[in-house]
Amino acid sequence: MRQYIEETTHEIVIVDKLTYAAVLDPIADGLACSRLTLETIDIADQDALEDLFERHDPDAVMHLAAETHVDRSIDGPLAFIRTNILGTHALLQTSLHHWRRMEASRRERFRFHHVSTDEVFGSLGPVGKFVESTPYSPNSPYSASKASSDHLVRAWHHTYGLPTLITNCSNNYGPRQYPEKLIPLVILKAIQGQALPIYGKGDNVRDWLYVGDHARALRLVLENGIPGETYNIGGDSERTNLEVVRAICSLLDELQPHSPYRPHETLITFVKDRPGHDHRYAIDASKIASELGWTPREDFDSGLRSTVAWYLENEAWLDRVQRSNYRGERLGLGVGS
């Protein structure tokens, strides 16, 4: 959103159901832009989508709407099936109807860009990386729902001709991320002196991608990607979960020299592992680099430093989130759905 506001003149329509994770105050300045409209709609409601497309007549769709937290998918998979699968179907159908009604020149330019995840590929061993042709092998309800949506998008391109694009990205991090995800959750707990829970041995590996770099890649794919193609987007920043948590602790020791919880690394504790926890993800992003010229600008150290600094400057927002609907409790214990 911010890049489109600051670097383009496009009219932007955001469609959001405004669920528990939709905290709007950190993006209030962007929402005030006269070129931006926020529509509170469930993407599984096709009638509402049809009305929205008729009113706004979009030239492109970037589909980022999804339930995303693996732990929540373990506890309640139905919400993931409804939004990620049925919602994608409704958005594809609405986009197809809209695309077919367009005049020829606009139909040629229209794109449906579906944003997915590296988790659809399953778990890697100690070597190798995911490429665009890696077979799908999802292991969580979340990744299974995203794999399903990817297949739907590909089918709507090959069956109906809808000009679609798919991107599969690695773990995102950065400012304004809802604090149920690892990096903001560790920051939240550490500044309050709470235990920092790490699943299992902490040796699970993720490839970390700074959110600003991801946004640039998404824009580039939407504008220059070839319909029917898939592009992997990764930060080339593999870290174990334990390494990530230790890096956050080190930054907090530096940026909060008077904290009573220094050294923050003493807060680390190991807890029972997540059910079905994939061991390693790593993205080969050479295709988007060679074909579209994208590479990440932030390395993990610089991106993490700016991320930690943002949360320290916005502790009041973290506190409001914690008091309203999320207290950092453990999710995804696998005790039932």
Side-chain angles (χ1 to χ4, degrees):
M1 177 191 79
R2 290 180 180 278
Q3 289 185 13
Y4 272 114
I5 290 172
E6 296 169 1
E7 301 177 22
T8 77
T9 59
H10 296 309
E11 298 286 330
I12 307 153
V13 180
I14 296 177
V15 178
D16 200 311
K17 189 179 177 182
L18 299 183
T19 62
Y20 73 93
V23 185
L24 298 181
D25 28 338
I27 60 170
D29 55 338
L31 293 175
C33 175
S34 61
R35 292 184 288 111
L36 187 145
T37 302
L38 173 63
E39 297 271 4
T40 307
I41 289 174
D42 182 347
I43 63 164
D45 185 343
Q46 190 169 336
D47 290 339
L49 288 176
E50 295 279 2
D51 174 69
L52 178 138
F53 273 59
E54 185 174 339
R55 286 186 287 111
H56 292 286
D57 193 21
D59 293 310
V61 174
M62 186 182 290
H63 175 26
L64 301 103
E67 295 284 350
T68 67
H69 193 41
V70 175
D71 286 354
R72 289 185 186 270
S73 81
I74 294 170
D75 291 339
L78 183 58
F80 290 72
I81 293 168
R82 185 177 191 279
T83 295
N84 300 356
I85 302 176
L86 299 180
T88 296
H89 167 264
L91 194 54
L92 282 166
Q93 282 293 85
T94 304
S95 297
L96 180 63
H97 299 160
H98 175 70
W99 176 67
R100 285 174 168 171
R101 291 192 297 264
M102 285 179 157
E103 60 185 34
S105 61
R106 290 188 65 208
R107 283 187 64 185
E108 190 69 25
R109 296 192 304 270
F110 183 84
R111 297 291 184 270
F112 182 104
H113 179 181
H114 175 64
V115 181
S116 190
T117 171
D118 57 0
E119 298 194 32
V120 298
F121 300 122
S123 185
L124 283 168
V127 297
K129 294 185 177 184
F130 297 132
V131 296
E132 284 78 4
S133 59
T134 298
Y136 278 29
S137 184
N139 291 317
S140 70
Y142 162 65
S143 58
S145 69
K146 290 298 291 183
S148 299
S149 65
D150 289 9
H151 292 318
L152 288 175
V153 173
R154 190 169 287 109
W156 258 244
H157 172 71
H158 287 284
T159 302
Y160 304 112
L162 186 68
T164 65
L165 301 149
I166 298 174
T167 51
N168 297 86
C169 71
S170 55
N171 277 36
N172 275 222
Y173 72 101
R176 303 176 183 85
Q177 189 174 33
Y178 190 77
E180 67 186 357
K181 299 298 177 73
L182 176 65
I183 288 177
L185 179 61
V186 168
I187 296 170
L188 169 66
K189 287 182 174 293
I191 62 180
Q192 296 178 349
Q194 299 182 33
L196 308 181
I198 296 180
Y199 293 166
K201 299 177 182 178
D203 58 355
N204 298 77
V205 177
R206 299 294 181 263
D207 175 14
W208 292 92
L209 173 64
Y210 188 70
V211 64
D213 284 329
H214 189 201
R216 284 192 303 105
L218 296 181
R219 290 173 53 199
L220 192 62
V221 170
L222 183 66
E223 294 165 6
N224 299 321
I226 298 173
E229 289 293 315
T230 297
Y231 301 88
N232 281 354
I233 307 171
D236 195 25
S237 295
E238 288 184 59
R239 298 289 190 283
T240 67
N241 289 345
L242 183 57
E243 287 172 332
V244 171
V245 175
R246 283 176 170 165
I248 294 169
C249 290
S250 178
L251 282 169
L252 289 174
D253 289 348
E254 174 192 340
L255 298 174
Q256 290 196 309
H258 303 297
S259 169
Y261 309 116
R262 294 176 74 245
H264 290 85
E265 191 170 323
T266 61
L267 299 171
I268 290 175
T269 183
F270 294 90
V271 300
K272 183 180 178 181
D273 205 355
R274 167 194 286 164
H277 198 176
D278 288 341
H279 187 261
R280 176 173 171 260
Y281 305 144
I283 282 280
D284 179 342
S286 58
K287 177 178 177 178
I288 190 174
S290 63
E291 295 187 9
L292 301 182
W294 177 89
T295 55
R297 294 174 182 171
E298 297 281 353
D299 62 28
F300 186 72
D301 292 337
S302 64
L304 187 64
R305 176 175 289 273
S306 63
T307 300
V308 171
W310 187 88
Y311 282 102
L312 291 178
E313 293 165 3
N314 291 272
E315 284 190 56
W317 172 73
L318 275 174
D319 183 61
R320 285 197 300 276
V321 171
Q322 192 174 28
R323 284 188 285 106
S324 61
N325 58 5
Y326 181 63
R327 293 172 174 80
E329 64 271 19
R330 173 77 190 268
L331 302 170
L333 292 171
V335 294
S337 61

